[in-house]
């Protein structure tokens, strides 16, 4: 039995195709709705699964093409994040057999497919673990410098295999150990979900994150893009909670916050905690925004602000988080920028041994904060763009693996 699945987000189609193929169906997927029309004609599927919100032409137009233009009674299932009642009613009026609202599980999708067109055979097949088909797709940049011994590869691979809609981009920041080899091994067999962006020259965390974020912005099927520390001091479950917040509210940035509170596991070295509190106090004075923790290495952003935040190189190596907020403030104005940014307390954060930031570096941060205050508060936007290139570390060659 043949199934045609149409969705503009490849990260949605990949787990769907894998599951249905495991069940014995012949599956073709297509992200271009215009091409899907001709594929429908030549492939002659027994079932069409289609998204509603797609660029160029919508899923409704695909339904009209099948039911009206081609006058075919091929069963149609809608799989969409659009929950508008009028649209659902219109879909059924046009003749669809089922309307599935994202998010939902692959197990449920499989059951609905079997109900409509039957099983390929009656034998119970071994299938991959249940996965939730999400209504959003997320890119995550993970900067890596000499992370050979700290990289928790299995935690990353288990996460992407159990959570649809995630694409991880590991940026190798000119590592001198075997980090690049570890990343290549991690990517094997998961090329659709994991990218390795290799910088031959070490440019620092700020530049590694910036290059990774701009690279991820080129992926058309991503809704949100964020970054996360390679040591998983903020774990992936907490990061997914940040994604849920930005997905359900009108924020442009959701930033993790390492605030100690009841029910949270927040562990810091005492000396580091004192320095962190001092730095955060200075940052609040510079930003004139009431942030509790700007420097947490877990943030998720709406794709539309990536160029505002990352187009120009940063002037500091470690305080690029502060610079991101300063750029938002400069672009949108203080009041609007503050309404766009959400600080979300983490359930867990643990300082990992082997941090690249020494205590000596922590004291240098105070001077860098002064540099940021002078640079962003006194210069107009055009001057900032020109001067950023003079201050930034020039990266070496990069290649995407």
């Amino acid at each position: 039995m043949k199934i045609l699945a149409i969705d503009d987000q490849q990260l949605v189609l990949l787990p769907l195709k894998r599951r249905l193929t495991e069940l014995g169906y012949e599956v073709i997927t297509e992200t271009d709705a215009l091409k899907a029309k001709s594929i429908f004609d030549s492939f002659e599927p027994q079932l069409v699964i289609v998204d509603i919100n797609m660029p160029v032409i919508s899923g409704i137009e695909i339904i009209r093409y099948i039911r009206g233009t081609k006058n075919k009674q091929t069963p149609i299932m809608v799989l969409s994040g659009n929950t508008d009642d009028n649209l659902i009613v219109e879909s059924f009026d046009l003749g669809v057999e089922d309307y599935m609202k994202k998010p939902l599980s692959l197990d449920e999708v499989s059951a609905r497919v079997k109900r409509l067109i039957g099983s390929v055979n009656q034998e119970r097949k071994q299938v991959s673990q249940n996965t939730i088909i999400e209504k959003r797709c997320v890119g995550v940049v993970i900067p890596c410098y000499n992370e050979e011994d700290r990289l928790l590869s299995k935690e990353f691979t288990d996460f992407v295999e159990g959570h649809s809609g995630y694409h991880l981009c590991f940026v190798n920041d000119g590592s001198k150990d075997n980090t690049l080899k570890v990343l290549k091994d991690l990517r094997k067999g998961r090329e659709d979900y994991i990218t390795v962006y290799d910088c031959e020259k070490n440019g620092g965390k700020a530049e590694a994150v910036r290059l990774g974020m701009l690279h991820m912005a080129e992926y058309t099927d991503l809704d949100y893009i964020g970054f996360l520390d390679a040591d998983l001091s903020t774990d992936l479950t907490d990061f997914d909670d940040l994604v849920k917040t930005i997905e359900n509210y009108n924020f442009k940035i959701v930033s993790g916050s390492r605030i100690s509170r009841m029910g949270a596991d927040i562990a810091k070295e005492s000396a580091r905690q004192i320095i962190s509190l001092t730095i955060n106090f200075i940052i609040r004075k510079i930003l004139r925004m009431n942030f509790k923790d700007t420097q947490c290495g877990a943030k998720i952003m709406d794709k539309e602000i990536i160029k505002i935040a990352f187009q120009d190189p940063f002037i500091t190596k470690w305080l690029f988080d502060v610079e991101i907020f300063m750029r938002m403030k400069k672009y949108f104005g203080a009041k609007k920028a503050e309404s766009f940014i959400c600080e979300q307390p983490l359930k867990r954060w643990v300082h990992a041994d082997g941090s690249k930031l020494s205590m000596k570096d922590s004291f240098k941060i105070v001077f860098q904060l002064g540099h940021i205050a002078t640079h962003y508060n006194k210069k107009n936007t055009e001057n900032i763009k020109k001067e950023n290139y003079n201050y930034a570390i020039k990266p070496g060659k990069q290649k995407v693996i």
Side-chain angles (χ1 to χ4, degrees):
M1 284 187 230
K2 297 186 289 187
I3 299 175
L4 172 60
I6 310 161
D7 195 303
D8 62 309
Q9 294 182 307
Q10 185 70 15
L11 290 172
V12 170
L13 292 173
L14 287 168
L16 182 63
K17 180 176 182 177
R18 181 176 64 180
R19 169 60 69 85
L20 295 177
T21 301
E22 288 171 346
L23 292 173
Y25 300 101
E26 182 183 352
V27 184
I28 288 182
T29 60
E30 181 54 61
T31 57
D32 186 327
L34 283 173
K35 289 182 181 178
K37 288 183 177 181
S38 60
I39 293 173
F40 174 83
D41 295 339
S42 59
F43 186 50
E44 297 185 344
Q46 276 75 53
L47 173 67
V48 173
I49 302 175
V50 63
D51 185 21
I52 291 294
N53 296 336
M54 295 185 289
V56 187
I57 64 171
S58 71
I60 290 292
E61 294 305 312
I62 295 290
I63 297 167
R64 289 195 178 113
Y65 177 76
I66 295 170
R67 289 286 185 264
T69 306
K70 305 304 293 186
N71 195 27
K72 296 280 188 179
Q73 296 308 306
T74 306
I76 301 173
M77 298 172 66
V78 174
L79 176 57
S80 178
N82 194 319
T83 57
D84 180 79
D85 288 341
N86 292 329
L87 195 62
I88 294 172
V89 170
E90 182 181 3
S91 299
F92 280 111
D93 286 343
L94 289 170
V96 305
E97 276 68 25
D98 202 352
Y99 196 110
M100 300 177 287
K101 300 176 184 178
K102 301 175 186 173
L104 80 166
S105 71
L106 276 177
D107 284 351
E108 183 177 344
V109 175
S110 302
R112 289 172 182 253
V113 169
K114 290 175 185 177
R115 179 181 64 82
L116 275 180
I117 62 174
S119 301
V120 175
N121 58 52
Q122 298 305 312
E123 294 181 20
R124 184 172 179 83
K125 290 182 173 289
Q126 184 68 32
V127 296
S128 56
Q129 69 182 80
N130 188 29
T131 301
I132 302 299
I133 299 291
E134 301 286 358
K135 63 180 180 180
R136 78 295 186 273
C137 291
V138 182
V140 187
V141 173
I142 302 125
C144 302
Y145 178 67
N146 292 348
E147 297 287 355
E148 174 188 359
D149 297 327
R150 296 201 308 167
L151 200 65
L152 303 174
S153 300
K154 190 174 186 304
E155 292 197 29
F156 286 113
T157 55
D158 286 351
F159 184 79
V160 293
E161 287 167 6
H163 295 74
S164 76
Y166 272 92
H167 189 123
L168 307 183
C169 176
F170 292 90
V171 181
N172 178 45
D173 187 24
S175 298
K176 295 177 175 63
D177 63 0
N178 288 320
T179 295
L180 183 58
K181 181 183 182 303
V182 171
L183 294 177
K184 287 179 178 179
D185 290 342
L186 186 150
R187 185 172 183 264
K188 281 180 184 174
R190 305 175 185 88
E191 290 81 4
D192 293 317
Y193 306 101
I194 295 176
T195 295
V196 178
Y197 190 100
D198 182 32
C199 302
E200 292 184 3
K201 180 181 176 182
N202 174 247
K205 182 180 178 181
E207 186 65 359
V209 170
R210 191 181 78 87
L211 293 173
M213 295 291 282
L214 291 175
H215 175 69
M216 282 281 94
E218 296 174 6
Y219 285 71
T220 57
D221 62 342
L222 297 180
D223 301 301
Y224 309 106
I225 307 173
F227 54 89
L228 185 68
D229 289 336
D231 60 21
L232 289 180
S233 50
T234 299
D235 67 18
L236 289 157
T237 302
D238 253 353
F239 189 85
D240 194 52
D241 286 342
L242 302 183
V243 173
K244 289 173 184 174
T245 298
I246 200 169
E247 178 185 8
N248 293 314
Y249 299 93
N250 294 321
F251 297 118
K252 301 297 182 188
I253 299 176
V254 178
S255 178
S257 182
R258 299 161 294 182
I259 300 171
S260 296
R261 59 192 175 87
M262 289 182 66
D265 180 14
I266 309 296
K268 293 184 183 180
E269 295 174 359
S270 57
R272 237 172 232 283
Q273 189 168 15
I274 293 168
I275 293 171
S276 177
L277 290 170
T278 304
I279 290 171
N280 282 334
F281 175 78
I282 298 170
I283 288 172
R284 286 199 300 274
K285 293 299 181 183
I286 291 172
L287 282 174
R288 295 174 188 168
M289 298 165 78
N290 192 30
F291 276 101
K292 299 290 186 288
D293 182 11
T294 59
Q295 299 309 108
C296 178
K299 291 178 175 61
I300 186 72
M301 305 180 185
D302 193 299
K303 188 177 178 181
E304 70 179 44
I305 68 155
I306 298 303
K307 287 197 173 180
I308 297 169
F310 293 95
Q311 186 66 48
D312 299 326
F314 298 106
I315 64 171
T316 60
K317 288 180 66 175
W318 298 301
L319 295 171
F320 67 96
D321 309 75
V322 180
E323 292 192 58
I324 289 169
F325 296 136
M326 292 295 277
R327 291 175 182 188
M328 291 286 290
K329 185 177 174 182
K330 202 82 176 178
Y331 190 90
F332 292 107
K335 190 173 181 180
K336 197 169 185 180
E338 201 161 359
S339 71
F340 282 163
I341 302 168
C342 170
E343 239 186 329
Q344 181 165 311
L346 301 173
K347 296 185 182 74
R348 172 191 173 275
W349 187 89
V350 180
H351 170 68
D353 292 334
S355 173
K356 307 302 181 297
L357 188 65
S358 68
M359 296 294 282
K360 183 179 177 181
D361 291 329
S362 298
F363 289 109
K364 290 181 182 178
I365 285 175
V366 176
F367 296 100
Q368 291 189 22
L369 285 170
H371 187 187
I372 289 172
T374 302
H375 189 74
Y376 284 93
N377 287 330
K378 293 187 177 179
K379 303 293 182 182
N380 61 41
T381 305
E382 276 307 308
N383 285 340
I384 288 172
K385 287 182 179 180
K386 290 175 184 176
E387 289 191 18
N388 277 344
Y389 286 99
N390 295 328
Y391 283 109
I393 297 169
K394 302 299 181 185
K397 295 179 182 177
Q398 305 94 32
K399 58 181 177 181
V400 180
I401 300 170

